[in-house]
Amino acid sequence: MKYVLFDVDGTLIDAVSNQRRVWGTWAERYGLDADEVYRVALRTRPMETFAQVAADRDPRECLAVLHELEDEDVRSGVYAAFDGASELLHSLPSGAWALVTSNYEHRVRGRFLRTDLPVPDVIVDAAAVEEGKPSPMPYLQAAARLGAEPGDCLVIEDAPSGVRSGLRAGMTVWGVNAAAAVEGVHRHFGSLREAAPHILACMSSPQ
């Protein structure tokens, strides 16, 4: 492989507790059950979550409140990069890797700054594409911006929607940070640390 494309939350940054806390605070604002809201939020996009748990509320207001809480979390929340992430990213050649995230670029940059992770030239975020994961568009856009063919790209993911996105883009997909392999992955690793030497070896091997 010549290029590697990383998901961010759950793959490079451990943000599960942050997401739960943000959604919990959001739920409290609207007098809703935090556990139920988080359960829905895990499997839907925010606007779909609002439609299910707060159908009587203005979804634009709901989204504005969520964004406010998420931005505050970037400034003051406690979170960390997964073990091995910093060493891995610092070892990759510039211009040979990208981030593909359902979050927003300014939050990714804020979290990377606080966790000592290098930022690549290419970040495809939620604002960059009309269709997010599991559509192939985010990963295809990242490849295009790198000047890469899909078949030359290795995708590193933790979630089913991201895995489907990479597979639909015609890329090799490896799964990390999960006890069991996500359906469809070409290889599975229990942790990013375990996957790191294989990623570097894959990048350096002749095509």
Side-chain angles (χ1 to χ4, degrees), residues 6 8 11-14 80-92 97 112 115-118 177 192-193 196:
F6 293 94
V8 177
T11 297
L12 297 173
I13 296 284
D14 186 357
F82 279 105
D83 185 33
S86 182
E87 298 92 329
L88 171 60
L89 297 187
H90 278 102
S91 299
L92 293 171
W97 62 286
F112 273 43
T115 52
D116 191 34
L117 296 183
N177 298 334
L192 182 67
R193 167 68 74 183

Side-chain angles (χ1 to χ4, degrees), residues 9 22 25 27 34 41 51 107 110 120 134-135 142-143 152 161 166 171 181:
D9 292 339
V22 164
T25 303
R107 292 187 196 128
S135 164
D152 289 332
S161 63
M171 301 175 180

Side-chain angles (χ1 to χ4, degrees), residues 29-93:
R29 293 269 186 100
Y30 291 96
L32 301 171
D33 180 83
D35 290 338
E36 171 62 16
V37 168
Y38 185 66
R39 184 185 65 79
V40 175
L42 278 177
R43 53 183 172 79
T44 59
R45 297 176 186 175
M47 296 300 276
E48 297 165 347
T49 301
F50 307 146
Q52 289 193 41
V53 303
D56 58 333
R57 299 285 186 166
D58 180 351
R60 292 168 298 182
E61 177 201 324
C62 291
L63 188 62
V65 171
L66 181 66
H67 283 175
E68 173 191 326
L69 293 171
E70 289 181 326
D71 286 344
E72 176 57 33
D73 177 72
V74 171
R75 292 188 293 268
S76 63
V78 178
Y79 49 85
F82 279 105
D83 185 33
S86 182
E87 298 92 329
L88 171 60
L89 297 187
H90 278 102
S91 299
L92 293 171

Side-chain angles (χ1 to χ4, degrees), residues 5 9 54 63 119 150 189 196-197:
L5 312 178
D9 292 339
L63 188 62
V119 178
F189 300 90

Side-chain angles (χ1 to χ4, degrees), residues 132-146:
K133 304 172 187 179
S135 164
M137 295 311 298
Y139 280 109
L140 289 174
Q141 184 179 129
R145 289 173 59 182
L146 287 170

